[in-house]
Each structure stands twice: as C-alpha cells, then as structure tokens.
Amino acid sequence: MSVIRPSGQTGRTDRSVAVIVVLGDLLVCVVLLLMSIGAVGSEPTTRAQETAAWHSAGKMYVGCLVVGVASFAVLRMPRALLAHVATMLLSPIAVLALLLLPGLD
C-alpha cells in the first residue's frame, strides 16, 4: 500500500487520530501529574527530591508537547495538531482550576 493517500482519506484519518490524541494526551498529563507529586515512582522525601520530581515531569511535559507538534505538523494532520496543542495546554489549567476551586469558598 502506498504511503501517499488521497486527500479525502486523509481527512477521515486525521479526525480519528485527533480523538486518539486527545485521550492519549489526557493520560500523559495525568501520569505526569502523579509522577510530580510522587504517586507514581519513588515518593520524594526531601525538598530537593520534590523539586527534581517537578522538574523532570516538566521536562517530559514540554518534550511531549514539542514532539507532538512537530510530528503532527510533518504528517500534515491539522486536526490532530490542534487537538494536541489544546489538550496539552488546557488540561493543566483545568486541573489547577479544580484544585483551587474548593479554596475559593
């Protein structure tokens, strides 16, 4: 089968890939959050270990964002690219809002 697809088939593929990308990005963000607080992997006991855990989770987050943007741009999948960027940028904001919301009472 040829790698080059007709343009009509590319749109259908891009749409289904975008759904999978959103679900995968949500999973990645949850795992990175759990990793940064010590629920996944070793639990940090000192301030230096906590800082290292946050920094490593942040580096992985930025790496996932950059690799996803680059790969979907190269593959010419605009829906998947937009879904990836929106999910990766909005999910931390939503989690932060959920964490701060009970404190507003």
Side-chain angles (χ1 to χ4, degrees):
M1 179 177 252
S2 175
V3 175
I4 300 173
R5 296 176 296 221
S7 61
Q9 187 178 359
T10 304
R12 287 191 305 258
T13 303
D14 187 26
R15 198 172 304 129
S16 60
V17 168
V19 172
I20 295 168
V21 164
V22 168
L23 296 174
D25 285 344
L26 289 174
L27 180 65
V28 165
C29 287
V30 167
V31 168
L32 289 176
L33 175 69
L34 291 175
M35 188 181 93
S36 66
I37 61 174
V40 173
S42 61
E43 184 176 350
T45 56
T46 64
R47 177 58 84 180
Q49 289 175 342
E50 283 182 12
T51 303
W54 275 99
H55 284 291
S56 67
K59 287 179 185 178
M60 285 186 201
Y61 174 81
V62 171
C64 288
L65 179 64
V66 169
V67 167
V69 167
S71 63
F72 293 127
V74 167
L75 293 172
R76 295 181 186 169
M77 294 184 160
R79 286 186 185 114
L81 175 64
L82 182 62
H84 174 68
V85 171
T87 305
M88 290 295 282
L89 295 180
L90 292 179
S91 60
I93 294 170
V95 168
L96 184 64
L98 288 173
L99 290 174
L100 294 178
L101 194 61
L104 295 178
D105 292 338

